[in-house]
Amino acid sequence: MSFQSYVDEYLMDDIDGQGQHLASAAIIGHDGRVWAQSANFPQVKPNEIADIIKDFDEPGYLAPTGLHIAGVKYMVIQGEPGAVIRGKKGSGGITIQKTCQALVFGIYEEPVTPGQCNMVVERFGNYLIDQGL
């Protein structure tokens, strides 16, 4: 299965049969190269990927300045140091999980909840980790 199929069929799929979907999603390599993304995923800047990687290496790095995706600022909230970064912006937010070779992004808006986004991103991220990716 291609990485684009993973984005389309897993990350952007209906959440628990409730007719809800993530707003956008992507799989981006640690080097900043996009492996696959939904059509509306924002254009992430190289320095933003570098800052995200640095936060995984130095948990708390992004807390003072916030997490930025395509210039949009998210307040960093609870996560799992070195494994998952979570951010909030208004009624939406973002979950990013680090795998062996990539970052899995999920961006959500209401009515999708933070917990639903976390579940989708982390379940898929754990699958990639199990595959050595």
Side-chain angles (χ1 to χ4, degrees):
M1 183 176 277
S2 74
F3 287 107
Q4 189 61 52
S5 295
Y6 284 131
V7 168
D8 297 339
E9 296 177 22
Y10 293 103
L11 294 174
M12 295 300 294
D13 195 24
D14 186 4
I15 300 171
D16 293 334
Q18 298 178 9
Q20 300 170 356
H21 305 269
L22 295 179
S24 61
I27 306 167
I28 300 176
H30 292 179
D31 61 0
R33 186 176 55 87
V34 175
W35 292 10
Q37 64 185 19
S38 61
N40 57 347
F41 191 79
Q43 185 66 40
V44 182
K45 300 172 184 167
N47 64 308
E48 294 170 337
I49 295 295
D51 286 346
I52 291 166
I53 293 290
K54 187 164 186 175
D55 191 82
F56 280 118
D57 294 339
E58 300 174 28
Y61 172 77
L62 290 173
T65 60
L67 163 68
H68 292 83
I69 299 293
V72 174
K73 181 179 178 181
Y74 292 84
M75 178 179 63
V76 177
I77 56 175
Q78 104 273 355
E80 297 172 26
V84 178
I85 299 170
R86 298 183 183 109
K88 185 88 173 127
K89 179 183 181 307
S91 61
I94 187 168
T95 303
I96 307 167
Q97 182 168 6
K98 182 181 180 187
T99 71
C100 306
Q101 300 177 31
L103 303 172
V104 178
F105 290 77
I107 297 176
Y108 68 93
E109 295 293 337
E110 283 187 338
V112 174
T113 66
Q116 289 172 311
C117 182
N118 297 343
M119 178 194 66
V120 169
V121 170
E122 294 172 35
R123 184 183 295 165
F124 182 70
N126 289 335
Y127 168 78
L128 289 182
I129 290 168
D130 290 346
Q131 302 303 308
L133 299 169

